[in-house]
Amino acid sequence: MPGMVVFGRRWGIASDDLVFPGSFELFVRVLWWIGTMILFTYHKGNFDCYGGGVLHTFLVGLMVVLALIILSLCATVYVSAQGTITNPGPRRSIPALIYLRAVLYVPELVWACLGAMWVSADSKGCDPATVGAVISAVIASWIILLFTGLGVVFVFDPLGNPRPPHSAMEPLGVRDQQSTERTQFLSTARSLAVKVWESRLRLLCCCLPQDESHRAAFSSIAQLVGGFFSDTDLVPSDIAAGLALLHQEQDKMEQSRDPDVMVDHSPSSPLGEDLETELEEAAHCMQFAAAAYGWPMYIYSNPLTGPCRLSGDCCRSREAEYDIVGGDHLGCHFSSILQSTGLQYRDFIYVSFHNQIYEIPFYVALDHKREAVLVAVRGTLSLKDVLTDLSAECENLPVEGVLGSCYAHKGMCQAAGYIYKKLVNDGILNQAFSIAPEYKLVITGHSLGAGTASLLAILLRNSFPTLQCYSFSPPGGLLSKALADYSKDFVVSVVLGKDLVPRLSLPNMEDLKRKILKVVSNCNKPKYRILLQGCWYEVFGGDPDDFPTEMDNRREEELSQPLLGEESLMIRHSSSYQSLASDESPAHTATHLPLFLPGRILRITEDGPSRRSCFSPVRYRADWSNEMSFRSVLISPRMLADHMPDAMLRALTSLTRDRPFSLCPSSSNNTNHNTV
C-alpha cells in the first residue's frame, strides 16, 4: 500500500497502519475518561477548596475533550481496518480523520496547560487524592503529546513528495508513451534517496573518521540501499506483512515436499574423504573461528563462568608478552582466545585486533593437534565491520588459471587483500613455517570472517597448493561462478539450518522483494489480521494459515500477466520486474551479477519436526548441498539465531560426539545423536 498522503506530503505509514496504535491509545483514553468521571462523580461536581471552580471547569472540559478523542479514535481504528493492502478504497476517509485528530490536540494541549497552572497555583487546601489525579492527568497528556511528536518524526519520510499519479487501469503501452516526465521525477527521487541514506550513514557513523575511504563506503552503500525499493511503493508494515505471509507459504511448501536425498560424499571429494571426516575437521576449526570474536563471544557463551575466568587475565600488566598483539589494550580478547582454543601463548605467531573499514582482526597460530598453521579471521563485531559487509558491489579478482569471469564481494575482497599483505609482505607465514615447516596451512572464519577467509584462500592457493579453508556461515553473495567452482577443491562451507546470511545476495534480495510483492498483492485479508496471525504463528506455531494465494475468482490464465494488485505497488517498471506469478530463479531476473557461496557446501539441519519444545532433544543431520539450494531467502524465526557462532559450534559438536543433554540448545552447550 502506498504511503499515506496528508499535509501535502507522503509519510512512511499507510492508511491501514493505524489499527494497532489507535487501539492502544483508545484503550488508554477510555481508562482515562472513566477515571475522570469517577473523580467528578465522587465529588458531585463540588470542590470545597481554593480554586475549586477552575478544577470543576478543568474536569468537565477534560471529559468533553476525551470523549471527542475517543470517538475520533473509534472511527479511525474502524476505517483503518477496512479493505486490504492493495485495496485502500474503503479507507479513503482516513486523511480527514487524521486532520480531525490533529485539531483535537489543540484543546488537549490547552487543557494540559490549564491543569498544570491549577496544580502549581490554585490547589491549596484540596484533597491530596484529587490533586494527585489532576497531576496524573497532566503528566499523561504531556506524555501522549511527546510520543505523538516522536511518532511523527519516526514515520516522517524525507522523500515524502507524493508519487506522480497514474491510473492502474490505464494500458501499459499508453502509460509508457507518457512516462518521460515521470521517469525524470523518479531519477531525481532516486538521487535524493541516495543523498538521504548517505546522510543517515554519516550520522550513524559520526564516531568514525570521515576520511576518503569511509566517504566512498558511505556513498556505495547509500546507492545500494537507496535504490533497492526505489521501484516499489511499500511502507515497512507492508514488508512485515509480506514476510509473515511468505514464511507460512514456505512452510506449507516444505511440508508437502519430499525429503531431500542425502549424499554421503561430496562430488568434488576424493573417494576416501567421507562426511564424518569433514565434520570432525569442521568442528575443530569452528572453535578457532568462534574464538576470533574475543571476549564478547566468550562471555556470551559462558555467562556464569566467563567473567571469573577472564578477570584474572584482563588488565594484568604483561607488556613483554603482548608485543605481538595489536589493538587489545586490556588483554581481554587474547585471554579469551587462550581460554577458548586451549593453546599456549607460545603457539601464537601473530594476533591483531586492529579494526577499520576493510581491515578486520585475525590471528595466526600453530595447531599442533592437527599439525597446521591456522589463520582465523574474525566476523562482524563492530560498526566498521558492518560497513565492510554492506560494501556488496562486485570487484574484479583475477586469479591465474581460472577461466571465466572472476569477481567477488568488494568489502570482503579488500579485507582479504589487507590480510594477504600482512601474511605475505610482513613475513608472518614465513615465520610460522620456519618454526613448523611440515605443517599445512588452514584458514577459517565465521560470517564476514568466513567470506574473507575464502577469498584469502583463493589468493594464497597458488603459493600453498595444499591449503584448506573452512568457511562457516559465509555470505551468499561472495564469489562469481568461476571462482566458486575453482574453490571447491580446497574450501568447505558449512551452513546451519535456515541461516539468513548464506542466502543473502543482491539477486536473492531482488527475488525476495518480488515474492513479497506477489503475496501482498494476492492476499485478500486486511493487514492487521495478517500481522496478528503471523505473530501468533511465529510465537506459538501450529499449522500455516490458509491465506488465499490468489485473489478471489481469478481465472488461471490471467496468472501469466502482471497482477493488478502487484502493479499498483510498482511505481516504475524495472528490468528486474516481471509477472510475479512466475517463480523463476532470481539469477534470471535480477540486474545484479550473480554471486555464490564458496567451495563445497555442507548443510546442517535439525532432523525432526520444525517446531519443538525448548527442552526437547535435538537431532541434527548433515549432507552435502550445492550453491543452487541457497538461491532464495527462507523466512524463519531461526534465520538469525542459526547464524550465531555458538549455535554453529553446538551443532557441529553434536554431530561429532554423542552426549545426552536436556537443556534448551539456545542456552547451553549440548550434543545429541547425529544423522550423517
Side-chain angles (χ1 to χ4, degrees):
M1 170 61 201
M4 183 169 53
V5 178
V6 290
F7 300 108
R9 66 177 300 111
R10 179 184 182 275
W11 297 81
I13 188 172
S15 59
D16 54 357
D17 286 334
L18 304 177
V19 175
F20 297 122
S23 299
F24 177 76
E25 185 181 357
L26 180 61
F27 174 75
V28 173
R29 297 286 187 176
V30 168
L31 291 181
W32 190 352
W33 187 87
I34 292 174
T36 305
M37 176 62 73
I38 291 174
L39 178 63
F40 187 83
T41 304
Y42 177 76
H43 289 279
K44 299 179 181 179
N46 296 318
F47 299 92
D48 298 328
C49 63
Y50 181 74
V54 176
L55 179 57
H56 181 277
T57 303
F58 172 79
L59 292 178
V60 171
L62 181 60
M63 286 189 292
V64 173
V65 171
L66 287 175
L68 293 174
I69 291 175
I70 289 172
L71 291 176
S72 69
L73 288 174
C74 288
T76 301
V77 171
Y78 175 78
V79 175
S80 182
Q82 304 306 305
T84 65
I85 294 178
T86 55
N87 179 27
R91 303 188 297 272
R92 64 175 63 92
S93 59
I94 281 291
L97 292 172
I98 294 294
Y99 294 138
L100 173 62
R101 181 67 187 89
V103 169
L104 290 176
Y105 279 116
V106 176
E108 183 176 12
L109 177 62
V110 172
W111 245 248
C113 295
L114 178 63
M117 293 172 57
W118 180 84
V119 169
S120 61
D122 299 333
S123 61
K124 298 176 182 178
C126 288
D127 181 18
T130 302
V131 176
V134 175
I135 292 176
S136 300
V138 171
I139 293 176
S141 295
W142 286 111
I143 289 177
I144 289 178
L145 291 171
L146 174 62
F147 276 96
T148 300
L150 292 176
V152 170
V153 173
F154 183 75
V155 301
F156 178 79
D157 185 359
L159 310 174
N161 291 329
R163 305 293 190 188
H166 68 270
S167 173
M169 302 302 295
E170 190 177 14
L172 293 179
V174 176
R175 200 182 306 166
D176 290 338
Q177 294 174 4
Q178 301 176 349
S179 63
T180 303
E181 181 178 349
R182 177 180 170 79
T183 302
Q184 183 178 2
F185 172 87
L186 292 171
S187 176
T188 304
R190 182 180 179 124
S191 300
L192 180 59
V194 171
K195 293 180 180 179
V196 168
W197 276 103
E198 192 168 349
S199 300
R200 288 172 175 171
L201 288 171
R202 285 182 177 151
L203 180 62
L204 181 64
C205 306
C206 59
C207 57
L208 300 182
Q210 301 296 312
D211 54 21
E212 187 62 32
S213 63
H214 285 82
R215 286 194 293 270
F218 294 156
S219 178
S220 63
I221 294 171
Q223 291 179 10
L224 175 68
V225 178
F228 184 67
F229 277 106
S230 62
D231 58 348
T232 63
D233 202 356
L234 296 173
V235 296
S237 60
D238 296 335
I239 300 173
L243 292 174
L245 291 170
L246 186 58
H247 179 208
Q248 296 178 64
E249 187 69 23
Q250 289 177 346
D251 281 359
K252 285 191 290 187
M253 294 176 61
E254 185 176 355
Q255 291 172 6
S256 61
R257 184 181 302 152
D258 293 333
D260 294 337
V261 178
M262 291 173 34
V263 182
D264 290 333
H265 297 278
S266 168
S268 303
S269 300
L271 293 177
E273 186 177 10
D274 59 15
L275 191 58
E276 291 188 11
T277 301
E278 290 288 10
L279 284 171
E280 291 176 358
E281 292 291 333
H284 179 74
C285 289
M286 184 59 206
Q287 299 178 40
F288 295 91
Y293 283 95
W295 70 263
M297 181 54 60
Y298 185 76
I299 298 296
Y300 176 80
S301 302
N302 305 275
L304 299 179
T305 61
C308 296
R309 292 177 182 175
L310 293 182
S311 60
D313 294 328
C314 294
C315 305
R316 181 179 297 178
S317 177
R318 298 190 295 184
E319 296 180 0
E321 291 183 330
Y322 281 80
D323 56 346
I324 65 170
V325 180
D328 186 22
H329 304 295
L330 299 179
C332 295
H333 283 305
F334 186 59
S335 297
S336 67
I337 292 177
L338 292 173
Q339 293 280 354
S340 300
T341 61
L343 299 180
Q344 302 297 318
Y345 178 83
R346 61 178 178 271
D347 296 327
F348 288 86
I349 306 300
Y350 183 84
V351 182
S352 172
F353 292 99
H354 169 76
N355 192 201
Q356 290 294 335
I357 185 172
Y358 307 139
E359 299 175 3
I360 57 180
F362 70 99
Y363 66 86
V364 182
L366 298 178
D367 180 12
H368 301 296
K369 184 176 181 179
R370 291 292 198 272
E371 295 187 343
V373 173
L374 190 137
V375 180
V377 186
R378 195 190 78 181
T380 303
L381 197 63
S382 70
L383 189 57
K384 301 165 188 175
D385 297 333
V386 173
L387 295 178
T388 302
D389 287 320
L390 293 178
S391 298
E393 62 268 30
C394 295
E395 180 168 284
N396 289 328
L397 184 65
V399 176
E400 184 179 353
V402 180
L403 300 178
S405 300
C406 296
Y407 51 87
H409 183 287
K410 175 184 175 181
M412 298 178 195
C413 195
Q414 296 201 15
Y418 160 76
I419 298 177
Y420 176 86
K421 293 176 182 178
K422 287 285 186 180
L423 295 178
V424 176
N425 297 350
D426 293 357
I428 296 174
L429 288 181
N430 288 337
Q431 179 184 353
F433 283 105
S434 66
I435 299 174
E438 72 282 4
Y439 282 15
K440 62 182 178 180
L441 178 61
V442 176
I443 307 174
T444 188
H446 174 269
S447 188
L448 167 63
T452 304
S454 301
L455 290 166
L456 180 61
I458 292 174
L459 295 176
L460 291 170
R461 171 68 170 175
N462 290 332
S463 301
F464 300 91
T466 62
L467 72 79
Q468 288 293 314
C469 175
Y470 288 89
S471 175
F472 302 98
S473 303
L478 184 64
L479 300 175
S480 65
K481 181 62 175 174
L483 287 178
D485 291 339
Y486 170 72
S487 65
K488 289 182 179 180
D489 291 333
F490 54 92
V491 177
V492 174
S493 293
V494 185
V495 178
L496 175 62
K498 296 185 177 180
D499 187 352
L500 170 66
V501 173
R503 296 172 171 85
L504 272 185
S505 66
L506 295 179
N508 284 9
M509 293 304 295
E510 288 286 349
D511 177 60
L512 177 64
K513 177 176 69 174
R514 186 174 63 88
K515 290 178 178 177
I516 288 175
L517 286 170
K518 177 180 179 179
V519 297
V520 163
S521 62
N522 290 347
C523 184
N524 61 2
K525 296 292 189 294
K527 188 192 297 183
Y528 79 93
R529 284 188 58 189
I530 298 174
L531 295 175
L532 280 176
Q533 296 178 13
C535 289
W536 180 273
Y537 182 76
E538 299 296 339
V539 175
F540 300 103
D543 295 328
D545 288 312
D546 190 20
F547 285 107
T549 56
E550 313 298 344
M551 297 293 282
D552 293 338
N553 302 321
R554 186 178 299 279
R555 297 194 306 272
E556 185 69 24
E557 59 270 17
E558 290 179 336
L559 297 180
S560 61
Q561 301 298 324
L563 303 173
L564 176 61
E566 80 194 34
E567 183 67 18
S568 69
L569 296 175
M570 303 295 297
I571 63 172
R572 69 176 174 87
H573 287 286
S574 67
S575 57
S576 65
Y577 171 76
Q578 52 180 264
S579 173
L580 303 188
S582 170
D583 286 323
E584 296 180 16
S585 168
H588 300 294
T589 62
T591 58
H592 303 285
L593 293 172
L595 293 171
F596 300 87
L597 287 169
R600 294 168 287 146
I601 303 171
L602 187 57
R603 183 179 58 180
I604 300 174
T605 56
E606 290 188 9
D607 195 16
S610 58
R611 299 277 182 173
R612 59 178 178 79
S613 169
C614 185
F615 296 96
S616 61
V618 186
R619 290 172 55 90
Y620 291 100
R621 57 179 287 182
D623 61 287
W624 293 107
S625 186
N626 60 73
E627 61 271 15
M628 299 310 296
S629 300
F630 299 89
R631 300 300 289 156
S632 63
V633 176
L634 300 181
I635 310 302
S636 169
R638 294 201 57 82
M639 61 194 301
L640 297 179
D642 283 345
H643 185 67
M644 295 299 292
D646 62 316
M648 173 69 74
L649 184 58
R650 280 195 303 271
L652 286 168
T653 304
S654 70
L655 284 166
T656 54
R657 300 177 188 173
D658 185 10
R659 292 190 307 209
F661 71 97
S662 60
L663 295 178
C664 181
S666 64
S667 59
S668 66
N669 292 332
N670 45 60
T671 53
N672 324 287
H673 299 288
N674 57 42
T675 302
V676 182

